[in-house]
Amino acid sequence: MIAKFTAIAAAVLIASPVLAQTGDAAKGKAVFARCMACHTVDPGVNRLGPSLAGVIGRTSGSVPGFAYSPAMKNAKIRWDAKSLDAFLTKPAAQVPGSKMIFAGLPNPADRANLIAYLASASKK
Ligand code: HEC
């Protein structure tokens, strides 16, 4: 019984994608409340920060009409689950000189849930 369970757990681990944790988009929406002072998920609606509609799969610093810092413009990061996870852990460390003033999300579950939310909201 235990051996069978271990085999299944191992198979699940091997099959899981880049992120060890799969996020919950509904919980991620609540985490996004911390971003909403500066960001929307509505296409073309920039606030203090650029719109995050369609952020997954795009290159950093590429929203038309948004005045990025040179640091973000030059970073040329492809935003995917892995790079967003790294950036959101500590934005200033990933993109030094960025004008995003946000300390970061230290909790991996918060990041995974938020990224799931951004992925689902981006499909609008
Ligand atoms: C105090 C305002 C503020 C808060 C809060 C904030 N951001 Fe930002 N964000 C910005 C600004 C300003 C930029 C542009 C940075 C630059 O040009 O250096 C940015 C850039 C970004 C980018 C890069 C976008 C692109 O087009 O390349 C991502 C991704 C991002 N923020 C995600 C988030 C998430 C997710 C949260 C919440 C956990 C968050 N931000 C919280 C202001 C903020």
Side-chain angles (χ1 to χ4, degrees):
M1 182 63 186
I2 289 172
K4 194 175 174 194
F5 177 77
T6 307
I8 292 168
V12 169
L13 277 178
I14 291 161
S16 63
V18 186
L19 279 183
Q21 236 166 338
T22 309
D24 177 331
K27 287 185 185 154
K29 191 172 183 182
V31 181
F32 189 69
R34 299 192 220 171
C35 322
M36 279 168 68
C38 302
H39 293 285
T40 73
V41 288
D42 301 321
V45 183
N46 299 331
R47 288 191 183 152
L48 203 58
S51 166
L52 295 181
V55 66
I56 296 189
R58 83 181 184 219
T59 305
S60 62
S62 65
V63 168
F66 184 80
Y68 288 97
S69 64
M72 186 61 82
K73 244 196 161 120
N74 296 330
K76 299 268 183 274
I77 298 167
R78 189 178 179 281
W79 293 126
D80 56 19
K82 202 176 165 209
S83 61
L84 281 170
D85 185 65
F87 178 64
L88 295 173
T89 303
K90 210 164 193 279
Q94 283 299 310
V95 183
S98 166
K99 62 179 189 178
M100 173 160 147
I101 308 301
F102 183 77
L105 295 171
N107 183 336
D110 282 350
R111 296 195 303 272
N113 292 338
L114 177 62
I115 291 163
Y117 172 68
L118 288 175
S120 68
S122 291
K123 279 183 209 137
K124 272 200 283 192

